[in-house]
Coordinates of all heavy atoms in Angstrom, one line a residue:
S50 N -78.0 -173.7 -41.6 CA -78.7 -173.9 -40.3 C -80.2 -174.2 -40.4 O -80.7 -174.9 -39.6 CB -78.6 -172.6 -39.4 OG -79.2 -171.5 -40.0
V51 N -80.8 -173.8 -41.5 CA -82.2 -174.2 -41.8 C -82.2 -175.7 -42.2 O -83.0 -176.5 -41.7 CB -82.8 -173.4 -43.0 CG1 -84.2 -174.0 -43.3 CG2 -82.9 -172.0 -42.6
I52 N -81.2 -176.2 -43.0 CA -81.1 -177.6 -43.3 C -81.0 -178.5 -42.1 O -81.6 -179.5 -42.1 CB -79.9 -177.8 -44.3 CG1 -80.2 -177.2 -45.7 CG2 -79.6 -179.3 -44.4 CD1 -79.0 -177.1 -46.6
E53 N -80.3 -178.0 -41.1 CA -80.1 -178.8 -39.9 C -81.5 -179.1 -39.2 O -81.6 -180.1 -38.5 CB -79.3 -178.0 -38.9 CG -77.8 -178.0 -39.3 CD -77.0 -177.3 -38.2 OE1 -77.5 -177.0 -37.1 OE2 -75.8 -177.0 -38.5
K54 N -82.5 -178.2 -39.4 CA -83.8 -178.4 -38.8 C -84.8 -179.1 -39.7 O -86.0 -179.2 -39.2 CB -84.3 -177.0 -38.3 CG -83.5 -176.4 -37.1 CD -83.7 -177.3 -35.9 CE -83.1 -176.6 -34.7 NZ -83.2 -177.4 -33.4
L55 N -84.4 -179.4 -40.9 CA -85.4 -180.1 -41.8 C -86.0 -181.4 -41.2 O -87.2 -181.6 -41.3 CB -84.8 -180.3 -43.1 CG -84.5 -179.1 -44.0 CD1 -83.8 -179.5 -45.3 CD2 -85.8 -178.4 -44.3
P56 N -85.2 -182.2 -40.5 CA -85.8 -183.4 -39.9 C -86.8 -183.1 -38.8 O -87.8 -183.8 -38.7 CB -84.5 -184.1 -39.2 CG -83.4 -183.7 -40.1 CD -83.7 -182.3 -40.4
Y57 N -86.6 -182.0 -38.1 CA -87.6 -181.6 -37.1 C -88.9 -181.2 -37.8 O -90.0 -181.5 -37.3 CB -87.0 -180.4 -36.3 CG -88.0 -179.6 -35.5 CD1 -88.4 -180.0 -34.3 CD2 -88.6 -178.4 -36.1 CE1 -89.4 -179.2 -33.6 CE2 -89.5 -177.7 -35.4 CZ -89.9 -178.1 -34.1 OH -90.9 -177.4 -33.5
L58 N -88.7 -180.4 -38.9 CA -89.9 -179.9 -39.6 C -90.7 -181.1 -40.2 O -91.9 -181.1 -40.1 CB -89.6 -178.9 -40.6 CG -89.0 -177.6 -40.1 CD1 -88.5 -176.7 -41.3 CD2 -90.1 -176.8 -39.3
K59 N -90.0 -182.1 -40.7 CA -90.6 -183.2 -41.3 C -91.4 -184.0 -40.2 O -92.5 -184.4 -40.4 CB -89.6 -184.1 -42.0 CG -90.2 -185.4 -42.6 CD -89.2 -186.2 -43.4 CE -89.8 -187.5 -44.0 NZ -90.9 -187.2 -45.0
E60 N -90.7 -184.2 -39.0 CA -91.4 -184.9 -37.9 C -92.6 -184.1 -37.5 O -93.6 -184.7 -37.1 CB -90.4 -185.1 -36.8 CG -91.0 -185.9 -35.6 CD -90.1 -186.1 -34.5 OE1 -88.9 -185.5 -34.5 OE2 -90.4 -186.8 -33.5
L61 N -92.5 -182.8 -37.5 CA -93.7 -182.0 -37.1 C -94.9 -182.2 -38.0 O -96.0 -182.0 -37.7 CB -93.3 -180.5 -37.0 CG -94.3 -179.5 -36.5 CD1 -94.6 -179.8 -35.0 CD2 -93.7 -178.1 -36.7
G62 N -94.6 -182.6 -39.3 CA -95.6 -182.8 -40.3 C -95.7 -181.7 -41.4 O -96.5 -181.8 -42.2
I63 N -94.7 -180.8 -41.3 CA -94.7 -179.7 -42.3 C -94.3 -180.3 -43.7 O -93.4 -181.1 -43.8 CB -93.7 -178.6 -41.9 CG1 -94.1 -178.0 -40.5 CG2 -93.5 -177.6 -43.0 CD1 -95.4 -177.3 -40.5
N64 N -95.0 -179.9 -44.7 CA -94.7 -180.3 -46.0 C -94.4 -179.2 -47.0 O -94.2 -179.4 -48.2 CB -95.7 -181.3 -46.6 CG -97.1 -180.7 -46.6 OD1 -97.3 -179.5 -46.4 ND2 -98.1 -181.5 -47.0
V65 N -94.4 -178.0 -46.5 CA -93.9 -176.8 -47.3 C -93.4 -175.7 -46.4 O -94.1 -175.4 -45.4 CB -95.0 -176.4 -48.3 CG1 -96.2 -175.9 -47.6 CG2 -94.4 -175.2 -49.2
I66 N -92.2 -175.2 -46.7 CA -91.8 -174.0 -46.0 C -91.9 -172.8 -46.9 O -91.6 -172.9 -48.1 CB -90.3 -174.2 -45.5 CG1 -89.4 -174.6 -46.6 CG2 -90.2 -175.2 -44.4 CD1 -87.9 -174.7 -46.2
Q67 N -92.3 -171.7 -46.3 CA -92.4 -170.4 -47.0 C -91.3 -169.5 -46.4 O -91.3 -169.1 -45.3 CB -93.8 -169.8 -46.8 CG -93.9 -168.5 -47.6 CD -95.3 -167.9 -47.4 OE1 -96.3 -168.5 -47.8 NE2 -95.4 -166.8 -46.8
I68 N -90.3 -169.1 -47.3 CA -89.2 -168.4 -46.8 C -89.3 -166.9 -47.1 O -89.5 -166.5 -48.2 CB -87.9 -168.9 -47.5 CG1 -87.7 -170.4 -47.2 CG2 -86.7 -168.1 -47.2 CD1 -86.5 -171.0 -47.9
M69 N -89.2 -166.1 -46.0 CA -89.2 -164.7 -46.2 C -88.1 -164.3 -47.0 O -87.1 -165.0 -47.1 CB -89.2 -164.0 -44.8 CG -90.5 -164.2 -44.0 SD -90.3 -163.7 -42.2 CE -90.0 -161.9 -42.4
P70 N -88.1 -163.2 -47.8 CA -87.2 -162.9 -48.9 C -85.7 -163.0 -48.5 O -85.3 -162.3 -47.6 CB -87.5 -161.4 -49.2 CG -89.0 -161.3 -48.9 CD -89.1 -162.1 -47.6
P71 N -85.0 -163.9 -49.1 CA -83.5 -164.1 -48.8 C -82.7 -163.4 -49.9 O -81.6 -163.8 -50.3 CB -83.3 -165.6 -48.9 CG -84.3 -166.0 -50.0 CD -85.5 -165.0 -50.0
L72 N -83.3 -162.3 -50.4 CA -82.6 -161.5 -51.5 C -81.6 -160.5 -50.9 O -81.7 -160.1 -49.7 CB -83.7 -160.8 -52.3 CG -84.9 -161.6 -52.7 CD1 -86.0 -160.7 -53.3 CD2 -84.5 -162.7 -53.6
E73 N -80.6 -160.2 -51.6 CA -79.5 -159.4 -51.1 C -80.0 -158.0 -50.6 O -80.7 -157.3 -51.3 CB -78.4 -159.1 -52.2 CG -77.2 -158.4 -51.7 CD -76.3 -159.3 -50.8 OE1 -76.1 -160.5 -51.1 OE2 -76.0 -158.8 -49.7
F74 N -79.7 -157.8 -49.4 CA -80.2 -156.5 -48.7 C -79.0 -155.9 -48.0 O -78.0 -156.5 -47.7 CB -81.4 -156.8 -47.7 CG -81.1 -158.0 -46.8 CD1 -80.2 -157.8 -45.7 CD2 -81.7 -159.2 -46.9 CE1 -80.0 -158.9 -44.8 CE2 -81.5 -160.2 -46.0 CZ -80.6 -160.1 -45.0
P75 N -79.2 -154.6 -47.6 CA -78.1 -153.9 -46.9 C -77.8 -154.6 -45.5 O -78.7 -154.9 -44.8 CB -78.6 -152.5 -46.7 CG -79.6 -152.3 -47.8 CD -80.3 -153.7 -48.0
G76 N -76.5 -154.7 -45.2 CA -76.2 -155.3 -43.9 C -76.4 -156.8 -43.8 O -76.7 -157.5 -44.8
S77 N -76.4 -157.2 -42.5 CA -76.6 -158.7 -42.3 C -77.9 -159.0 -41.7 O -78.3 -160.2 -41.7 CB -75.5 -159.2 -41.3 OG -74.2 -159.0 -41.8
F78 N -78.7 -158.0 -41.3 CA -80.0 -158.3 -40.6 C -81.1 -157.5 -41.3 O -81.0 -156.3 -41.5 CB -79.9 -157.9 -39.1 CG -78.9 -158.7 -38.3 CD1 -77.6 -158.2 -38.2 CD2 -79.2 -159.9 -37.8 CE1 -76.7 -158.9 -37.4 CE2 -78.3 -160.6 -37.1 CZ -77.0 -160.1 -36.9
S79 N -82.1 -158.2 -41.6 CA -83.3 -157.6 -42.3 C -84.4 -158.6 -42.4 O -84.2 -159.8 -42.3 CB -82.9 -157.2 -43.7 OG -84.1 -156.8 -44.5
W80 N -85.7 -158.1 -42.4 CA -86.8 -158.9 -42.7 C -86.7 -159.5 -44.1 O -87.3 -160.6 -44.4 CB -88.1 -158.2 -42.6 CG -88.5 -157.8 -41.2 CD1 -87.7 -157.6 -40.1 CD2 -89.9 -157.5 -40.8 NE1 -88.5 -157.2 -39.0 CE2 -89.8 -157.2 -39.4 CE3 -91.1 -157.6 -41.4 CZ2 -91.0 -156.9 -38.7 CZ3 -92.2 -157.2 -40.7 CH2 -92.2 -156.9 -39.3
G81 N -86.0 -158.8 -45.0 CA -85.9 -159.2 -46.4 C -86.8 -158.4 -47.3 O -86.7 -158.6 -48.6
Y82 N -87.6 -157.5 -46.8 CA -88.5 -156.8 -47.7 C -87.9 -155.5 -48.2 O -88.7 -154.6 -48.6 CB -89.8 -156.6 -47.0 CG -90.5 -157.9 -46.7 CD1 -90.5 -158.4 -45.4 CD2 -91.2 -158.6 -47.7 CE1 -91.1 -159.7 -45.1 CE2 -91.8 -159.8 -47.4 CZ -91.7 -160.3 -46.1 OH -92.3 -161.6 -45.9
N83 N -86.6 -155.4 -48.2 CA -85.9 -154.2 -48.7 C -84.8 -154.7 -49.7 O -83.6 -154.4 -49.5 CB -85.3 -153.4 -47.6 CG -84.3 -154.2 -46.7 OD1 -84.5 -155.4 -46.6 ND2 -83.4 -153.5 -46.1

């Protein structure tokens, strides 16, 4: 779903995305800092 929005981000002018931690965490919902 992030890939789907890459054209939007490119058009916006973004040239780097910073991704909050996508590391394995308990459950399906988290900020990623656990």
